[in-house]
Amino acid sequence: MPAETASVTGWGRTAPSTARLIRPGTYEEAVAAVRGCGARGGIPRGLGRAYGDAAQNAGGAVLDMTGLDKVHAIDASEGVVLCDAGVSLHRLMEVLLPLGWFVPVTPGTRYVTVGGAIGADIHGKNHHASGSFARHVPSFELLTADGTVRTVRQGTPLFDATAGGMGLTGVILTARVRLLPVETSLMSVDTERAADLDDLMARLTESDRHHRYSVAWIDLLARGASTGRAVLTRGDHAHLDALPARARRQPLAFRPPTLPAAPAFLPGGLLTRTTVGAFNELWFRRAPRARAGELQRISTFFHPLDGVPHWNRIYGRAGFVQYQFVVGHGQEEALRRIVRRISERRCPSFLAVLKRFGEGDPGWLSFPRPGWTLALDVPAALPGLAGFLDELDEEVAGAGGRVYLAKDSRLRPELLGAMYARVDDFRELRAQLDPRGVFVSDLARRLSL
């Protein structure tokens, strides 16, 4: 099977490591790859959209699973698709939307694989209503360290260890995914401004009862009375009768627009406090004070950045850190303190979003829990960034919160237990399932997983 030595990095383009990249094209080749990982082990990888080092393995093997990408069956009566783990959410949308089905959960990019969606237990703008991705997976086939394939069903310890387990329990080969019926490929979207963080939290809390999807872009450079000002976007799948006559001719068409790719090389220093501050001011002022019922493409509402291939290059060669945390309900003051600290620190982030999570999911290392989650992108070369984020980690842990492992490349291991109460259960199951340490990653070594 194809293999090469390559430098591998996450989407943030930080902390690259060199590994043997193996591309199995059949289930048999995947088994052979696992059995031949070598002394440094291996880790499965999808489309590389984990921001940090979760799908890297310095000196070992990385199994690129995108060659296993078949959609095997669609059960229209039950609304379930059976597919390979290497199938992307983009491909599922291409296949399913014309049939009146949509994926149950999608993050900010559709270029993630089903296996990666389970391994990171991804969430979207609808967590308050639908939970995370693994909640909609009745079962999957898992290739474990001894080279055997197991059927893993929801509600079992191995399922809960794998959902959010970042590929460390084995290689997902196929999965069944429950789908969401839709009448059109358009969204009905409400947009409004929030004057500050308290105003935003009140509006998000209210929207949970009325909209399937909600998210807020937040201006983390605003200070004073405007701290936490935001643009709140809420949406639902548009019904057929809401479409104009012309759009009803092809109500389920899926044609995402694509802009030119970001250049391969961009100089550092483009995203400064001045340039990002100007962008944030313009973005906030251009947003409507209140607009209801605008029809948008699914790709526009869910995945605006996917229209610019390789958009991560805009941060230059040094790359960027995406920092995402959650704190529970009742910890709003901790969220206020963190937002104020980021604002006072003048972190130049133009991709910052605040969402409200619903009930947590059973995955032992699943990220969501009931409360508030903030995600922000920051240039990795920002002076003093590492120490500042370490301080935020302490604040988050002290509030009973956690950071998202799928986006992490820098968390100190001593904080992991405070953030994830089931981490020792995860380690114990891994030791039983994989005593030789076949599955390992840079993240696993760093956090002693």
Side-chain angles (χ1 to χ4, degrees):
M1 72 193 81
E4 62 179 300
T5 299
S7 178
V8 181
T9 185
W11 190 246
R13 304 176 77 199
T14 60
S17 59
T18 301
R20 188 162 48 98
L21 194 60
I22 304 172
R23 297 185 175 88
T26 65
Y27 302 146
E28 292 77 15
E29 288 183 349
V31 172
V34 167
R35 288 177 172 166
C37 278
R40 293 284 288 181
I43 191 70
R45 180 181 176 92
L47 287 166
R49 293 304 178 101
Y51 285 77
D53 55 2
Q56 299 172 214
N57 182 23
V62 172
L63 280 58
D64 181 338
M65 299 303 297
T66 56
L68 294 171
D69 60 352
K70 292 184 176 60
V71 177
H72 294 287
I74 301 168
D75 185 337
S77 62
E78 296 292 330
V80 174
V81 62
L82 171 64
C83 63
D84 286 342
V87 172
S88 69
L89 299 192
H90 173 82
R91 179 59 182 153
L92 283 184
M93 292 176 196
E94 286 183 324
V95 172
L96 297 171
L97 267 170
L99 303 177
W101 298 102
F102 190 61
V103 294
V105 171
T106 177
T109 175
R110 60 187 179 273
Y111 294 110
V112 298
T113 62
V114 168
I118 298 169
D121 202 12
I122 61 171
H123 58 272
K125 300 175 182 179
N126 60 337
H127 190 275
H128 63 277
S130 303
S132 54
F133 193 87
R135 187 183 298 187
H136 306 273
V137 178
S139 65
F140 51 79
E141 301 292 316
L142 184 72
L143 171 59
T144 52
D146 59 2
T148 63
V149 178
R150 308 184 186 201
T151 299
V152 183
R153 292 185 170 83
Q154 206 173 67
T156 63
L158 185 51
F159 188 102
D160 292 344
T162 304
M166 306 312 299
L168 295 170
T169 61
V171 180
I172 299 171
L173 296 178
T174 66
R176 298 181 184 276
V177 182
R178 284 191 292 266
L179 305 171
L180 178 70
V182 296
E183 295 180 15
T184 75
S185 60
L186 296 175
M187 304 295 297
S188 177
V189 180
D190 298 347
T191 306
E192 60 191 55
R193 293 188 210 165
D196 56 33
L197 184 59
D198 285 342
D199 182 28
L200 173 60
M201 287 192 289
R203 291 170 186 261
L204 277 168
T205 300
E206 174 64 20
S207 73
D208 277 4
R209 298 179 308 204
H210 306 295
H211 297 274
R212 180 180 291 272
Y213 305 96
S214 62
V215 68
W217 169 86
I218 182 169
D219 182 0
L220 292 176
L221 286 175
R223 292 185 290 182
S226 297
T227 299
R229 70 178 181 177
V231 177
L232 173 58
T233 306
R234 299 174 285 197
D236 294 281
H237 294 279
H239 294 293
L240 184 61
D241 58 11
L243 270 58
R246 183 175 180 180
R248 293 185 198 181
R249 299 172 191 168
Q250 293 182 305
L252 293 164
F254 180 60
R255 304 187 189 95
T258 300
L259 298 173
F265 172 76
L266 284 169
L270 289 179
L271 298 179
T272 65
R273 295 181 178 94
T274 300
T275 58
V276 173
F279 171 87
N280 287 2
E281 181 69 26
L282 178 63
W283 191 263
F284 183 79
R285 295 299 175 189
R286 288 188 62 185
R289 294 184 180 276
R291 180 176 62 202
E294 180 191 16
L295 292 177
Q296 293 183 5
R297 296 176 178 180
I298 273 176
S299 56
T300 301
F301 180 75
F302 288 107
H303 315 119
L305 288 174
D306 282 347
V308 184
H310 305 293
W311 64 263
N312 56 340
R313 294 172 178 170
I314 66 175
Y315 291 88
R317 287 181 174 175
F320 68 100
V321 173
Q322 180 159 113
Y323 185 72
Q324 183 168 8
F325 68 89
V326 58
V327 293
H329 295 304
Q331 293 293 334
E332 285 77 12
E333 187 53 42
L335 176 63
R336 294 186 187 99
R337 285 196 304 271
I338 292 171
V339 169
R340 284 197 298 268
R341 291 186 66 176
I342 295 170
S343 174
E344 290 166 1
R345 181 67 170 69
R346 308 296 287 157
C347 289
S349 176
F350 74 96
L351 294 174
V353 295
L354 183 72
K355 291 182 287 195
R356 193 168 186 262
F357 280 159
E359 289 302 312
D361 297 280
W364 294 346
L365 297 184
S366 290
F367 169 66
R369 55 161 296 177
W372 303 94
T373 181
L374 176 66
L376 59 146
D377 290 354
V378 187
L382 189 70
L385 179 63
F388 179 65
L389 294 182
D390 283 347
E391 294 173 4
L392 294 191
D393 288 343
E394 296 281 358
E395 182 106 31
V396 169
R402 58 178 62 136
V403 300
Y404 192 14
L405 297 183
K407 297 183 177 180
D408 177 56
S409 60
R410 35 144 309 274
L411 179 69
R412 302 196 313 275
E414 60 267 26
L415 289 179
L416 187 65
M419 294 181 173
Y420 289 89
R422 301 294 301 271
V423 67
D424 286 339
D425 295 326
F426 179 81
R427 288 171 174 144
E428 182 179 350
L429 184 143
R430 276 200 71 213
Q432 296 171 359
L433 188 68
D434 184 9
R436 296 184 296 113
V438 171
F439 294 109
V440 67
S441 65
D442 291 353
L443 177 143
R445 291 191 185 94
R446 176 168 55 83
L447 296 178
S448 300
L449 283 172

